[in-house]
Amino acid sequence: MITSRMGGGPVTDTQPLGGYVADQLLRLCQAVGLEPSDGEIYARVLTDCLGPVAERPLDEPPSYPSFLSDDHTPVEYSLAFVPDAPPTLRMLLEPGYGAEGLAENGRVGLRVVRAMAERWGFTTDQLDRLEDLFFPPAPEGPLALWLALELRPGGVPKVKVYLNPAASGVDRAAETVREALDRLGHRQAFAALPRADGYPFLALDLGDWETPRVKVYVTHRNLAAADAGELPRTDPGPRPETVREFLRVAAGLDSSPQHSGAGRGVRLEGRPVLSCHSFTESGTGLPSGFTLHVPVRDYVRHDGEAYARAVAVLRRHGMDTAALDRSLATVTSRLLHDGVGLIAYLALVYERGRPPRVTAYISSEAYAVRPPLPAQPPPQTFSPHRTAGTEPRETLHSVGNGKAGAEIRMEPYRIKVVEPIPLTTPQQRKAALERVHYNLFDLRAEEVTIDLLSDSGTGALSSAQLAVGMAGDESYAGSRSFYRFRDTVAELTGFSHILPAHQGRAAERLLFSNLLKPGDTVLSNTHFDTTRANVELAGCVARDLPCAEARNLDSSEPFKGNIDLEALERGLTETTGSRVAAVVMTITNNGGGGQPVSMENLKRTSELCRRHGVPLILDAARFAENAWLVTRHEAAYKDRTPRQVAEEAFRLADGCVMSAKKDGIVHIGGFIGLNDPELAQKCELLLIATEGFPTYGGLAGRDLDMIAQGLQEVTEPSYLAERAESADHLAQRVRAAGVDILEPPGLHAIYLNAGRLLPHIPPHQYPGHALACRLYLEGGIRSAELGSLYLGEEDEDGNPVKSPPYELVRLALPRRVYTRSHYDHVGRTLETIAKNAESVHGYRIVEQSPILRHFRAKLQPVTV
C-alpha cells in the first residue's frame, strides 16, 4: 500500500529546480530497479535539457507557464506497467522551458533533440519532414515541443517528441495532422481516427525502437463510459467492455462521490479524456495501437482517491502495485489527501503483439500543490456542461517547493449553521442536579452548556452528508442507499457480509447472540460498557487483558491500548472448561482511556487467534482515530495514510462490530462485518426478527447514505489532524489548571485523573462522579465518570467489594461541534475546582439497576 506521508527528500527554499527534479529522478530510477549509474546519467540528461532554468531557485515563481503540468513544472514522470515484470520509467519534459516566446521554445527544443540524435546515433528524418508544419514563424497553442525519454538499462533511452497540431491555429489542427500523416506515408490513417473534439498532440518515435510509431492524440469532451468502447480502431483490439470498465474505474463513475450513479449515463465534464492511435504500417491505414488516457486528477477529491483508482486498475489487469508505492514515495513528502494532481493521468495501452499495459503519470509538483476538493454530493446525469475556458490551473494553491506546507492550526471547515447553547445560572444547575438525583445522564440538553458526556452520535454532519441524506432511498427492501452503504463498508473493511444495525450495541447483541454460548469467555484489551453487558447477558464471562503499560497513567507510552499478549496466549491455551469464544479488540481502547492499539500488537493478536482457531472481532467504533495515532507513533506506519492503516487493521480480523455514531460521524447507525457465511446468516435472521430487513437494519435510507459519506470523510488526514489538535488544546488547558490527565491524550476524549485530584474521597463515594458533578455545577459542563460508579461493586452496606484501578472522568469531544474557545471554558472551570478541591464531596447510591448501573443510578451527596 502507498504510504500516507511519503519519503521524498528534504527541500530548501533556495534549492534549484534542476536539483529538485534530478533528485526525484534518481530516487525513481532506484525504485524501478535501474542501476545507480544509469540514474546518474539520466539525471544529468534531465538537467542538461532544462538548460539555464535548471539553476532557477524554487522560491522564485515559474519562469514560464508550461502547459506540461498544473503547477507549470516542466517535468512529468510515468510508469508503464505490464504483468510479471518491473515497470518502465519514462520522463516527459519541455526542453525549451523558459525561452522567450513559443517560437524560441521550439527552436531550443529542436536543438536539444538533434544533439541527442548525434550523441546516441539516431536519425531525425521524420521530424525534419514536419518542421515547417509544426514550427511556423508565429506559432500558436500551449506548447512547441515536448521530449519523452523511456529510461532503459545502460544509460541510453528511447526518445520520442510531442508536437502541437494547433501551431498554425486550432482551426487548422485537423488539417495539420492529416498533412503530417500523409508526409510520413500513412495516407489512409486520418480517416481511421474516431470523431474528435480536438487534436492536442502528434508524437514521433525517434531512435532505437523496434517499430517506430506515429501517434495521434484525440480529445473527447463529455465522454461517457458507454461511448469509450467504440473508440479503438485497432484490429485486433481491446474488447469494448474492457475499455468501458477501465474508464469507469479510473474516473470513478461507479463509486466516486462526484460521479456516482449509473456510470453509463454520467459524462466526464472536467478535463477531457484523450485517446491515442499509433500507426506503424501504411498498408491498411488502421492503427496498430490504442491508448485511453483518463485525467484522473480532475475526477477525484484528492490523491488518496487517485491512488486507490490506480491500484484498482493495476490489480484488475494482474499487475503488481509495489513499484507504484515505491515510486510515489520518492516523489513527494506530502500526504496524499493533502492535494490533488500528483497522479495526473491513468492510461490503458494496447499494442499489436504486446500484452496490455497500464501507465500512471506522476507530477513533480516542484512549484505548487493543488488543494484537495471538498466532498460533494453526486451530480445529476443531466448537469450542465462546464463553462468553456475554466481551467483547473485557476484553483492552484501554492504551498512551496512541492510540499504540503506548514501545518495550520485551525479547523479544516467553516461554520454554516449555528445552534445557541444554553447559558444557565449556578442556582438553575443546582436545582437541575437535585431533580435528576445527581445522575448527569438524566439532565435535559437545554440544561447543559458544554456537553462532553459522549462522542457517540453527537457530531456535526457535513454539507456533503446532508446532501446525500436528502437523496436517500427509503425503499423498504433493496434501496440504492443500502447498496452504497454496503459497498463503502466492504471496500473499507474487506468483509464479505455487511449487516446494518441501528447502533453499535445492537450490532453487539446480534453478533454475540449467535457467536457465544452460555459459559463462554470473551477476552479483550478492554470491554466497553455495552460490550461487556451484551457478553454477560449471553451468560458469558468478559475478561479484560490490558497491557502492562496501561497501568501507568502518567507515562507517555504511545500504545497503552494494546492487549497483554502473554496473558492472551495463556487465556487461549487454558483448559479450565470455559471455551474462549472470541477475542474483541477495541480500537481505540475507550475503556482504557481512549488509548490506541498498535498494528504490531494487532498483528500478533491475529496470529494467536488464528493459531488457536478463535475469531478476532474488532470493536471498530473509533477505527480512524486509532489509525491516525498509528501513523503518528508507529515507525513502520509513519508513511501510511490513515485509510491504509484502517484497511489493513480490518483485514487482520475475522469480523467487526461498529457504532457508526463515532467514526461514521452520524447521529445513528452501526453495522456488523463478517467473513463467515454461516455466522452471517444467523445474524441476518436475528436482524430481520429484531431490527429490520437486512437492507435497512433499523435505519432510514438517508442514514445509510450519510454513514457511507461519513466513512469516507473520517479518514481524511486534515479532519483527523484537527481532532488531534483540539484534544491537545484541551489537554494543555487541563494541565495548566493543575489537573492531571491520562497521558498521552488521544483524540476522542480527555480523561481526568479524579482520584489524584480528590484523594480525600474514598472509592465507594465515587470521586470521579463527584468531579463530574462539580464540573456541571461550576460551568454547566456534562461529562462521564469512568471509575467506581462505572466499574466498581459494593456490598449491601455500601462497602467496596470491587474497585477499579483508577478514578477517571471522561471529557468526550463531539466531532466538529465545539471550538477551542469552548474548551478554554472547560479549562477555566477546572482551574476554579482545582483551587478548592477539598470542598468537593462524595456521593452514595440510593437506587441502582443490576447492569450498567451508571446509566440509571440515583445518588445523594455525602455531607459528613
Side-chain angles (χ1 to χ4, degrees), residues 793-823:
E793 295 178 11
E794 298 83 29
D795 61 20
E796 294 180 354
D797 298 322
N799 299 312
V801 174
K802 172 188 172 185
S803 294
Y806 315 107
E807 302 288 347
L808 302 175
V809 172
R810 186 185 71 174
L811 305 178
L813 311 183
R815 292 159 178 80
R816 303 186 293 209
V817 170
Y818 294 119
T819 67
R820 286 161 177 75
S821 66
H822 294 110
Y823 296 140

Side-chain angles (χ1 to χ4, degrees), residues 2-3 5-11 20-32 77 79 89 322-334 342 362-364 639:
I2 184 57
T3 58
R5 182 174 294 282
M6 291 163 285
V11 183
Y20 181 72
V21 294
D23 286 347
Q24 286 180 323
L25 184 61
L26 284 169
R27 296 191 297 269
L28 280 167
C29 288
Q30 183 179 6
V32 300
Y77 313 106
L79 297 170
L89 174 63
L324 177 63
D325 297 353
R326 292 193 302 270
S327 298
L328 291 176
T330 68
V331 173
T332 185
S333 60
R334 74 166 171 85
L342 177 66
I362 302 170
S363 299
S364 172
D639 291 331

Side-chain angles (χ1 to χ4, degrees), residues 470-486:
M470 291 295 290
D473 180 358
E474 304 303 338
S475 301
Y476 182 88
S479 74
R480 64 178 178 271
S481 297
F482 166 75
Y483 289 107
R484 182 191 181 199
F485 160 82
R486 184 199 64 181

